């Protein structure tokens, strides 16, 4: 069987293109997220992989989703059910969100610091990252006292380790070589 992301990509792309055309990116993200949660439900799992006819499965799935999924979302679910692909809904939702972030030129950055950051520090980090990445940055801040001091910033593939723990580790590696 093909890799899940390969299977999910055309559905996510079609949903995203439709959402862009109809100025409904946020509502589509919510619909896909909800449908993904339904598909991951332990009661639904056996039905998705069982021998239920595709039209009955689509009817049941849409019935469970109820008003959380609009008519166009229901059409997507019907097509996915016909192709036996409802179990890849979590991957479709994830890829849709990635496309949404890319479209919005936005990136999520995780900032782990030894102590709580002030709003001024968060603003300064955000501005610096926006310049470096040429995108709008959304910060997710957390605290890890084991860093001793400093912080670690992760944004996509970029990792900036400015923690004392990281500096000590790099110094140790240098001294050992």
């Amino acid at each position: 069987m093909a890799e899940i992301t390969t299977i999910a990509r055309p559905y996510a792309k079609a949903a995203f293109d439709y959402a862009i055309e109809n100025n409904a990116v946020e509502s589509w993200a919510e619909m896909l997220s909800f449908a993904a949660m339904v598909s991951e439900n332990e009661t639904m799992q056996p039905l998705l992989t069982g021998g239920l006819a595709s039209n009955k499965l689509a009817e049941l799935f849409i019935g469970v989703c109820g008003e959380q999924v609009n008519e166009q979302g229901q059409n997507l679910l019907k097509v996915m059910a016909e192709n036996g692909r409802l179990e890849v809904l979590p991957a479709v939702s994830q890829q849709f969100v990635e496309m949404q972030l890319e479209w919005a030129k936005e990136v999520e950055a995780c900032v782990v610091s030894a102590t709580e950051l002030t709003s001024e520090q968060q603003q300064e980090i955000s501005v610096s990252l926006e310049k470096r990445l040429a995108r709008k940055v959304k910060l997710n801040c957390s605290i890890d006292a084991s860093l001793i001091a400093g912080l670690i910033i992760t944004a996509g593939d970029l990792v900036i380790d400015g923690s004392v723990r990281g500096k000590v580790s790099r110094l140790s590696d240098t001294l050992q070589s």
Side-chain angles (χ1 to χ4, degrees):
M1 186 168 166
E3 189 177 334
I4 291 176
T5 54
T6 305
I7 295 169
R9 188 174 300 116
Y11 297 107
K13 177 85 171 102
F16 187 74
D17 290 346
Y18 183 83
I20 292 290
E21 286 176 23
N22 293 284
N23 200 22
V25 176
E26 281 298 319
S27 64
W28 269 88
E30 291 171 13
M31 280 191 297
L32 288 172
S33 175
F34 184 80
M37 286 189 291
V38 170
S39 74
E40 291 175 323
N41 183 289
E42 59 192 41
T43 306
M44 288 299 286
Q45 282 291 315
L47 297 173
L48 297 179
T49 56
L52 201 58
S54 63
N55 61 340
K56 293 291 182 190
L57 179 60
E59 211 174 281
L60 175 69
F61 198 89
I62 291 168
V64 170
C65 290
E67 295 178 7
Q68 295 291 328
V69 179
N70 67 18
E71 185 179 342
Q72 291 76 26
Q74 290 176 10
N75 290 339
L76 176 68
L77 294 175
K78 287 175 187 175
V79 168
M80 291 181 75
E82 286 174 14
N83 295 319
R85 301 296 193 206
L86 285 174
E87 68 273 1
V88 300
L89 269 167
V92 171
S93 178
Q94 177 62 35
Q95 288 187 17
F96 186 93
V97 168
E98 290 170 8
M99 288 177 195
Q100 180 182 12
L101 291 174
E102 180 66 29
W103 174 71
K105 294 290 185 188
E106 188 174 290
V107 66
E108 283 191 33
C110 297
V111 179
V112 181
S113 60
T115 60
E116 189 170 345
L117 297 173
T118 65
S119 59
E120 292 83 23
Q121 290 170 322
Q122 289 179 17
Q123 181 64 28
E124 191 176 311
I125 291 168
S126 181
V127 168
S128 296
L129 284 174
E130 285 177 2
K131 283 182 185 176
R132 183 169 184 167
L133 300 173
R135 292 171 182 247
K136 186 176 174 186
V137 175
K138 178 182 174 195
L139 293 182
N140 293 328
C141 298
S142 61
I143 299 171
D144 181 0
S146 71
L147 296 179
I148 305 169
L151 47 90
I152 298 173
I153 301 171
T154 308
D157 294 341
L158 174 70
V159 177
I160 302 170
D161 188 349
S163 67
V164 171
R165 182 177 69 187
K167 290 178 182 179
V168 169
S169 176
R170 287 189 297 275
L171 178 62
S172 173
D173 291 343
T174 303
L175 291 174
Q176 289 177 2
S177 53

